[in-house]
Amino acid sequence: MSDFDLSDLAATIEERARSLPETSYTASLLEMGPAYCARKFGEESVEAVVAAVEGDPDALTSESADVIYHLLVLLQACGVPFQSVMAELGRRSGRSGIAEKASRGAD
Protein backbone atom coordinates (compact mmCIF):
# COMPACT_ATOMS: atom_id res chain seq x y z
CA MET A 1 0.00 0.00 0.00
CA SER A 2 1.10 3.53 -0.70
CA ASP A 3 1.23 6.39 1.79
CA PHE A 4 -0.22 8.63 -0.92
CA ASP A 5 -3.64 10.04 -0.08
CA LEU A 6 -6.18 12.40 -1.57
CA SER A 7 -4.83 15.35 0.41
CA ASP A 8 -1.52 14.85 -1.41
CA LEU A 9 -3.28 14.87 -4.76
CA ALA A 10 -5.34 17.95 -3.86
CA ALA A 11 -2.18 19.78 -2.80
CA THR A 12 -0.44 18.84 -6.05
CA ILE A 13 -3.40 20.11 -8.07
CA GLU A 14 -3.41 23.38 -6.10
CA GLU A 15 0.31 23.76 -6.77
CA ARG A 16 -0.04 22.96 -10.47
CA ALA A 17 -2.82 25.54 -10.77
CA ARG A 18 -0.05 28.13 -10.49
CA SER A 19 1.96 26.53 -13.32
CA LEU A 20 1.98 27.45 -16.97
CA PRO A 21 -0.56 25.53 -19.06
CA GLU A 22 2.24 24.69 -21.49
CA THR A 23 4.07 22.77 -18.76
CA SER A 24 1.20 21.29 -16.74
CA TYR A 25 -1.79 19.22 -17.85
CA THR A 26 -3.60 20.32 -14.69
CA ALA A 27 -2.97 23.99 -15.44
CA SER A 28 -4.16 23.48 -19.01
CA LEU A 29 -7.42 21.95 -17.77
CA LEU A 30 -7.95 24.77 -15.29
CA GLU A 31 -7.28 27.36 -17.98
CA MET A 32 -10.23 25.93 -19.94
CA GLY A 33 -12.56 26.88 -17.07
CA PRO A 34 -15.03 25.16 -14.75
CA ALA A 35 -17.46 24.07 -17.47
CA TYR A 36 -14.72 22.26 -19.38
CA CYS A 37 -13.45 20.65 -16.17
CA ALA A 38 -17.01 19.53 -15.38
CA ARG A 39 -17.41 17.95 -18.82
CA LYS A 40 -14.05 16.18 -18.44
CA PHE A 41 -15.11 14.86 -15.03
CA GLY A 42 -18.36 13.60 -16.57
CA GLU A 43 -16.50 11.90 -19.41
CA GLU A 44 -14.19 10.10 -17.00
CA SER A 45 -17.14 9.11 -14.80
CA VAL A 46 -18.91 7.50 -17.75
CA GLU A 47 -15.73 5.59 -18.62
CA ALA A 48 -15.62 4.25 -15.04
CA VAL A 49 -19.26 3.19 -15.27
CA VAL A 50 -18.59 1.37 -18.54
CA ALA A 51 -15.61 -0.44 -17.00
CA ALA A 52 -17.77 -1.50 -14.05
CA VAL A 53 -20.62 -2.70 -16.26
CA GLU A 54 -18.16 -4.63 -18.42
CA GLY A 55 -16.68 -6.25 -15.32
CA ASP A 56 -13.15 -5.05 -16.07
CA PRO A 57 -11.44 -4.47 -12.70
CA ASP A 58 -8.20 -3.17 -14.24
CA ALA A 59 -10.02 -0.61 -16.36
CA LEU A 60 -12.24 0.31 -13.41
CA THR A 61 -9.15 0.90 -11.28
CA SER A 62 -7.58 3.12 -13.92
CA GLU A 63 -10.77 5.02 -14.70
CA SER A 64 -11.51 5.49 -10.99
CA ALA A 65 -8.12 7.17 -10.59
CA ASP A 66 -9.05 9.46 -13.51
CA VAL A 67 -12.44 10.23 -11.91
CA ILE A 68 -10.86 11.18 -8.59
CA TYR A 69 -8.20 13.33 -10.26
CA HIS A 70 -10.74 15.13 -12.45
CA LEU A 71 -13.10 15.67 -9.49
CA LEU A 72 -10.29 17.38 -7.59
CA VAL A 73 -9.45 19.48 -10.65
CA LEU A 74 -13.13 20.45 -10.91
CA LEU A 75 -13.19 21.45 -7.24
CA GLN A 76 -10.09 23.61 -7.83
CA ALA A 77 -11.67 25.18 -10.93
CA CYS A 78 -14.80 26.05 -8.94
CA GLY A 79 -12.93 27.37 -5.91
CA VAL A 80 -14.20 24.63 -3.60
CA PRO A 81 -11.48 23.62 -1.14
CA PHE A 82 -10.85 19.89 -0.85
CA GLN A 83 -11.00 20.29 2.92
CA SER A 84 -14.60 21.52 2.60
CA VAL A 85 -15.53 18.21 0.97
CA MET A 86 -13.66 16.29 3.65
CA ALA A 87 -15.45 18.31 6.36
CA GLU A 88 -18.80 17.45 4.77
CA LEU A 89 -17.88 13.77 4.71
CA GLY A 90 -16.85 14.06 8.36
CA ARG A 91 -20.20 15.65 9.19
CA ARG A 92 -21.94 12.68 7.59
CA SER A 93 -19.73 10.09 9.25
CA GLY A 94 -21.43 7.82 11.72
CA ARG A 95 -24.88 8.42 10.27
CA SER A 96 -26.90 5.91 8.38
CA GLY A 97 -26.83 6.64 4.67
CA ILE A 98 -30.61 6.38 4.65
CA ALA A 99 -30.96 8.90 7.50
CA GLU A 100 -28.42 11.25 5.92
CA LYS A 101 -30.19 11.14 2.57
CA ALA A 102 -33.57 11.77 4.23
CA SER A 103 -32.13 14.83 6.02
CA ARG A 104 -31.41 16.43 2.63
CA GLY A 105 -35.03 16.15 1.47
CA ALA A 106 -36.35 14.94 -1.85
CA ASP A 107 -34.05 15.13 -4.88
Side-chain angles (χ1 to χ4, degrees):
M1 259 329 194
S2 169
D3 289 336
F4 186 81
D5 66 26
L6 291 181
S7 294
D8 295 331
L9 181 56
T12 298
I13 289 168
E14 187 175 341
E15 177 185 315
R16 300 275 169 81
R18 297 184 291 274
S19 299
L20 294 173
E22 298 81 27
T23 62
S24 167
Y25 177 64
T26 300
S28 69
L29 290 171
L30 292 167
E31 183 177 59
M32 300 295 287
Y36 181 85
C37 293
R39 285 191 300 275
K40 190 66 178 167
F41 170 69
E43 172 190 319
E44 298 299 341
S45 299
V46 169
E47 290 173 3
V49 168
V50 169
V53 169
E54 291 178 349
D56 185 341
D58 292 335
L60 181 56
T61 298
S62 178
E63 296 302 339
S64 294
D66 290 347
V67 167
I68 292 168
Y69 165 77
H70 284 283
L71 174 59
L72 294 179
V73 169
L74 178 58
L75 292 172
Q76 178 74 34
C78 294
V80 176
F82 174 69
Q83 288 308 318
S84 295
V85 176
M86 296 308 293
E88 177 63 14
L89 288 171
R91 184 189 70 75
R92 295 178 185 187
S93 180
R95 293 179 75 181
S96 151
I98 293 170
E100 198 289 319
K101 182 82 171 167
S103 75
R104 290 190 268 157
D107 286 332

